[in-house]
Every structure is written in structure tokens, then in C-alpha cells.
Amino acid sequence: LRVQFIHQSVRELKEQLIEIGSDLIVQYGQPLDVFQRLSKALPVSGIYANHDYEPAARERDQNVGDWAKAQGVEFKTFKDQCIFEKEEVLTDSGKPYTVFTPYKKKWLSLLESRHLQTFEIEAFKEGFARRTEVETSIQSHDLAQSPSLRDLGFQSSEFQYPSKTVSRGTLKNYARDRDFPAL
């Protein structure tokens, strides 16, 4: 079900991007093979990704980064799923904390309002709306076709995912019902 949910969410994102004049290329395979294939079909000048912290993912990113550098393609990764990364919250002697309370105090002392700000996406939407020669390349190389669940080695189930919106009744009754996850 997890893979089906991710597949469905990516498909919905692709549809939303198409509605505002953009697209999302979804490929399946070994990352280095996929980037090599894409670079033959499209003018790839940069690869941008979010930091990944697991050893296998770090090795994957290193391999893609090395390949990109050899091709003259910029490869940059950015902080994603955390406010501070491990090297950003250290003791005064520059070492990682081993006790939670001092770590928490340091973490809170480093927290600034800029870490919590939201960003408007209207400018991005306007940028997406401009069609480019890349979109023609996507269509002509059949890159617009996303892999199906079957292509990924999975079968679809009949599971109905809950709505992404929360009803007013749910919000109104939250204090009363929050201790009952099944609700």
C-alpha cells in the first residue's frame, strides 16, 4: 500500500504541474543510469536534490555527483527534512551532544524565525507557466510517460485512501476525539 500511495501522490503532483503549464519526469531505475539516459535526451545543466542521510543514499548521491562533475553538470544538495543538521548543533568544544537537555537548549538558542518562515509559490507557478524547448524534448523522447505500478513490480489494490482534507467536524471535535486514533 505504501508504494501505491507514493505512486498515486506522484501521479497527482504530475497532473497538478501539467495544469499550471509544467510537467514532472518520473523515471525508474538505478539513479546513475537514469541520469545518463536523461542527459542524452535533454540538455541537463544541473541536478538538484535534497540531502539524504542514510549510508546507501549518501553513496548513491556521491556516485551521481561524481558523474555530474565529469559531465560538467552542476550537482547540489540541500537541507530538507530537518531544521538543523547534525553538524549545526554542537557543544562549545565542537562535539555532538550526548545528553538531550543541553542539546535541546542549544537547539532552541539557534532557532530563529527565518527557520520557520513559509514561502509563497506564486512566483514559481508563473515560472512554470512558461513553456520551453525542454517540454518538446520531453514529449519527443517519450519521457512524459511515467512508469506504472506494474512497471515497478507492484500490483494495485482496491484500498481507498482517506481524503487529504480535514472536515470542520473533525477539527471541532479534536479535543474530545484526539485520544482515539481510529476516529
Side-chain angles (χ1 to χ4, degrees):
L1 290 178
R2 182 178 74 89
V3 172
Q4 182 174 326
F5 174 76
I6 293 168
H7 186 268
Q8 177 181 322
S9 297
V10 169
R11 188 180 69 236
E12 288 171 5
L13 174 61
K14 181 176 177 66
E15 291 167 2
Q16 291 168 359
L17 287 170
I18 288 170
E19 284 178 20
I20 63 170
S22 188
D23 205 342
L24 177 67
I25 298 173
V26 180
Q27 297 285 293
Y28 175 69
Q30 292 297 316
L32 190 53
D33 296 340
V34 169
F35 282 111
Q36 290 170 339
R37 186 171 60 242
L38 287 173
S39 72
K40 290 176 183 164
L42 300 171
V44 177
S45 60
I47 299 171
Y48 306 97
N50 293 328
H51 292 178
D52 204 332
Y53 306 98
E54 298 298 321
R58 291 170 56 122
E59 181 180 349
R60 173 204 63 210
D61 292 350
Q62 183 66 50
N63 291 337
V64 171
D66 291 346
W67 171 83
K69 184 177 180 181
Q71 304 303 309
V73 172
E74 181 178 39
F75 181 75
K76 285 190 161 195
T77 62
F78 299 89
K79 188 185 336 182
D80 173 34
Q81 60 192 15
C82 58
I83 294 176
F84 297 116
E85 292 182 319
K86 66 180 182 180
E87 68 276 0
E88 293 179 297
V89 183
L90 301 172
T91 65
D92 290 340
S93 62
K95 301 211 185 298
Y97 281 92
T98 58
V99 178
F100 178 73
T101 301
Y103 167 81
K104 175 188 163 197
K105 287 179 182 178
K106 179 70 168 254
W107 193 97
L108 289 171
S109 76
L110 295 171
L111 188 64
E112 298 174 2
S113 62
R114 68 180 173 88
H115 292 118
L116 305 174
Q117 75 185 65
T118 59
F119 297 93
E120 295 299 322
I121 63 166
E122 292 308 315
F124 294 112
K125 285 183 182 179
E126 291 169 16
F128 285 145
R130 294 185 211 105
R131 299 253 177 208
T132 67
E133 68 278 358
V134 173
E135 291 170 354
T136 305
S137 295
I138 291 171
Q139 298 301 327
S140 66
H141 288 88
D142 197 31
L143 296 174
Q145 185 65 37
S146 296
S148 68
L149 275 173
R150 186 176 305 268
D151 294 336
L152 301 174
F154 294 90
Q155 293 179 356
S156 180
S157 75
E158 297 301 319
F159 184 78
Q160 294 296 314
Y161 295 97
S163 172
K164 292 178 185 173
T165 59
V166 178
S167 72
R168 287 185 184 267
T170 299
L171 292 175
K172 208 191 266 183
N173 298 324
Y174 176 76
R176 183 191 72 204
D177 297 342
R178 69 178 178 208
D179 293 328
F180 304 97
L183 294 176

